[in-house]
């Protein structure tokens, strides 16, 4: 497995990574202020979670179609179209904020549209990463992508708090610009990102039937294999409870009257933990069985949530976010790299979208669940319910032998010598 120093010499991966760091920073900035604005407009903890839920719903709804596009169309064009849509959507929010006409409906609509664009972009990018890196570079490349998310989290919260404190429009202006930067950066990629040429394509008369077949092929592949079935079930449950914990923790600070900039700093601790975790991820992945690492990460949240049942101080919440997110990059990168390594090239987009689709179906419910528990039962009881749910989620990979027995990367099965000896043009 290669390290970060080797990967940095890969021009196209560096361009792809840099462009999305900028774009995700803008999105993190906007998403940080969404619940703050929604709560200010409505005064309701449940309604404050609706924009986040709409983004997750849009992303989930678009993932399967995005996977088909990634396997049928030029991935560069797909990604650039998604970035252009993001710029237009957040530009509309910036204009509404300047005119003092922001509404909850507008926030929800833009969040949903952004989710759709993200759902289309994700499978295309996942396939593009496999095209621009070698098999040996995969774990490090995906670890670096994990760091990208946490860099956005680290800077997005404080930046969002500062921009929102100055003007409601500024976070959305910033996000509009970052989507435009992503669009430009994607245009500089040199790697051929066209799909695998298939000889079984039909004419326009059979296109609808072929699209339906493409759409279901990825899902059939996933559910026919025990490892994939277990991991998507775990992902769906874990995404629901962990994101609900995040939402409850942050909204407790809002209810306590903590300043938005201070909440941003506390949220940034998750980014610090994630970045440090991503830097450590390649070394952890290389030295542990991937299955054992998955189980370890699944249980890592349990001891961190216990203190939140009794206390909700900003320092405690910040520490929980830091430690909890630290372990995630290694677990996610290890599992994702294994999935990519054992998936046939022609199915990369659809398998990526199918696994994400099932894993993310519960995420739109996370902020609503968190808001409901907080509003109806209070912080202590609501957090206790989420603690029990976290334990149940962790049992899913723990009880699966197909997950536990996944070896270290050096012992992963090889589907094709092409994956080992050269970059794959997918």
């Amino acid at each position: 497995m290669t390290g970060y120093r080797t990967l940095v010499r890969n021009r196209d991966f560096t361009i792809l990574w840099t462009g999305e760091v900028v774009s995700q920073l803008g999105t993190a900035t906007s998403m940080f202020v969404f619940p703050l604005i929604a709560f200010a407009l409505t005064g309701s903890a449940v309604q404050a979670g609706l924009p986040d839920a709409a983004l997750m719903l849009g992303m989930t709804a678009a993932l399967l179609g995005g996977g088909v596009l990634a396997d049928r169309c030029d991935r560069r064009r797909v990604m650039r179209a998604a970035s252009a849509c993001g710029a237009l959507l957040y530009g509309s929010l910036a204009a509404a904020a300047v005119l003092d006409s922001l509404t909850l409906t507008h926030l929800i609509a833009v969040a949903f549209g952004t989710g759709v664009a993200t759902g289309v972009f994700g499978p295309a990018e996942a396939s593009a990463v496999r095209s621009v890196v070698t098999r040996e570079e995969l774990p490090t490349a995906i670890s670096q992508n994990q760091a990208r998310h946490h860099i956005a989290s680290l800077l997005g919260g404080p930046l969002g708090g500062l921009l929102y404190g100055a003007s409601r429009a500024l976070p959305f202006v910033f996000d509009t610009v970052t989507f435009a930067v992503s669009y430009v950066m994607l245009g500089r990629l040199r790697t051929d990102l066209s799909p695998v040429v298939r000889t079984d394509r039909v004419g326009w008369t059979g296109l609808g039937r072929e699209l339906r077949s493409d759409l279901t092929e990825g899902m059939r592949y996933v559910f026919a294999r025990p490892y994939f079935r277990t991991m998507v079930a775990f992902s769906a449950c874990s995404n629901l409870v962990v994101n609900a914990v995040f939402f409850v923790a942050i909204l407790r600070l809002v209810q306590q009257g903590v300043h938005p900039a201070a909440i941003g700093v506390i949220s940034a601790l998750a980014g610090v933990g994630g970045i440090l975790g991503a830097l450590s991820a390649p070394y952890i992945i290389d030295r542990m069985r991937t299955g054992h690492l998955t189980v370890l990460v699944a249980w890592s949240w349990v001891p961190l949530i216990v203190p939140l049942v009794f206390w909700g101080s900003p320092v405690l919440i910040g520490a929980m976010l830091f430690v909890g997110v630290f372990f995630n990059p290694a677990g996610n990168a290890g599992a994702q790299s294994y999935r990519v390594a054992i998936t046939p090239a022609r199915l990369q987009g659809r398998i990526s979208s199918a696994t994400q689709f099932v894993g993310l179906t519960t995420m739109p419910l996370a902020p609503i669940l968190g808001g409901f528990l907080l509003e109806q039962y209070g912080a202590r009881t609501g957090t206790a319910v989420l603690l029990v749910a976290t334990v149940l989620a962790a049992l899913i990979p723990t009880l699966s032998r197909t997950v536990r027995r996944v070896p270290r990367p050096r012992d992963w099965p090889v589907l094709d010598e092409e994956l080992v000896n050269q970059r794959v043009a997918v």
Side-chain angles (χ1 to χ4, degrees):
M1 183 171 64
T2 59
Y4 289 112
R5 291 183 179 179
T6 301
L7 192 62
V8 77
R9 294 194 291 270
N10 185 321
R11 176 188 178 276
D12 275 6
F13 177 77
T14 301
I15 289 174
L16 182 63
W17 188 86
T18 303
E20 291 319 295
V21 165
V22 174
S23 177
Q24 290 187 15
L25 174 60
T27 301
T29 300
S30 294
M31 296 309 296
F32 174 79
V33 303
F34 269 176
L36 304 184
I37 294 176
F39 189 75
L41 291 173
T42 66
S44 167
V46 173
Q47 293 187 66
L50 292 179
D52 280 354
L55 185 141
M56 292 296 105
L57 181 62
M59 181 167 60
T60 304
L63 272 171
L64 291 181
V68 173
L69 284 175
D71 285 339
R72 296 179 67 95
C73 304
D74 185 282
R75 282 84 183 247
R76 181 190 293 102
R77 293 178 181 177
V78 172
M79 291 187 290
R80 295 190 86 191
S83 294
C85 288
L88 292 174
L89 288 167
Y90 279 101
S92 73
L93 275 184
V98 169
L99 297 173
D100 198 25
S101 58
L102 271 178
T103 65
L104 180 63
T105 301
H106 193 178
L107 290 174
I108 292 172
V110 168
F112 181 82
T114 304
V116 170
T118 303
V120 170
F121 186 97
E125 190 206 13
S127 300
V129 168
R130 178 170 171 177
S131 296
V132 301
V133 304
T134 63
R135 184 181 188 272
E136 289 79 5
E137 292 173 328
L138 265 177
T140 304
I142 295 179
S143 297
Q144 191 163 322
N145 281 350
Q146 293 285 317
R148 183 179 70 194
H149 296 291
H150 297 297
I151 289 171
S153 175
L154 170 64
L155 301 177
L159 182 59
L162 290 173
L163 293 177
Y164 177 62
S167 167
R168 281 187 177 180
L170 283 180
F172 305 130
V173 171
F174 179 71
D175 202 3
T176 302
V177 172
T178 61
F179 271 111
V181 170
S182 173
Y183 179 87
V184 172
M185 295 290 286
L186 289 167
R188 299 182 60 205
L189 294 174
R190 294 175 182 170
T191 302
D192 180 13
L193 298 180
S194 57
V196 170
V197 176
R198 291 175 57 179
T199 58
D200 59 343
R201 294 300 189 195
V202 299
W204 288 101
T205 55
L207 183 60
R209 182 173 63 256
E210 187 179 84
L211 288 174
R212 288 193 296 272
S213 176
D214 281 357
L215 196 64
T216 58
E217 186 178 7
M219 295 294 288
R220 289 199 303 267
Y221 187 94
V222 167
F223 284 102
R225 287 156 177 80
Y227 174 81
F228 284 89
R229 289 200 303 268
T230 302
M231 288 304 296
V232 295
F234 167 62
S235 179
C237 295
S238 179
N239 282 337
L240 173 63
V241 296
V242 171
N243 282 281
V245 169
F246 265 63
F247 188 82
V248 167
I250 295 300
L251 206 58
R252 285 171 73 175
L253 299 177
V254 174
Q255 291 181 332
Q256 293 170 22
V258 178
H259 191 276
I263 296 176
V265 172
I266 294 168
S267 179
L269 289 173
V272 174
I275 292 170
L276 294 177
L279 291 174
S280 306
Y283 306 99
I284 297 173
I285 294 169
D286 195 42
R287 287 161 176 77
M288 285 189 67
R289 293 177 61 90
T290 302
H292 293 174
L293 178 60
T294 299
V295 173
L296 174 65
V297 172
W299 284 99
S300 64
W301 282 100
V302 174
L304 298 174
I305 298 174
V306 172
L308 293 181
V309 175
F310 306 100
W311 304 284
S313 72
V315 173
L316 177 62
I317 290 175
M320 181 272 291
L321 294 177
F322 174 85
V323 177
V325 176
F326 175 84
F327 294 104
N328 273 8
N332 289 341
Q336 288 178 31
S337 298
Y338 181 69
R339 185 202 72 207
V340 171
I342 66 174
T343 297
R346 68 180 185 85
L347 288 172
Q348 282 294 321
R350 280 167 287 170
I351 298 306
S352 173
S353 65
T355 54
Q356 287 185 70
F357 173 79
V358 179
L360 296 179
T361 49
T362 57
M363 282 191 69
L365 302 175
I368 296 175
L369 173 64
F372 174 79
L373 291 174
L374 190 60
E375 196 169 82
Q376 296 296 317
Y377 301 104
R380 178 170 293 185
T381 301
T383 305
V385 171
L386 294 175
L387 172 62
V388 173
T390 304
V391 171
L392 295 176
L395 287 173
I396 295 174
T398 305
L399 298 177
S400 171
R401 193 173 72 171
T402 59
V403 172
R404 297 195 310 269
R405 70 184 182 185
V406 175
R408 290 182 293 181
R410 69 189 68 171
D411 300 319
W412 289 349
V414 178
L415 294 184
D416 194 324
E417 284 298 317
E418 181 185 34
L419 293 178
V420 179
N421 298 322
Q422 64 184 39
R423 294 178 183 178
V424 183
V426 186

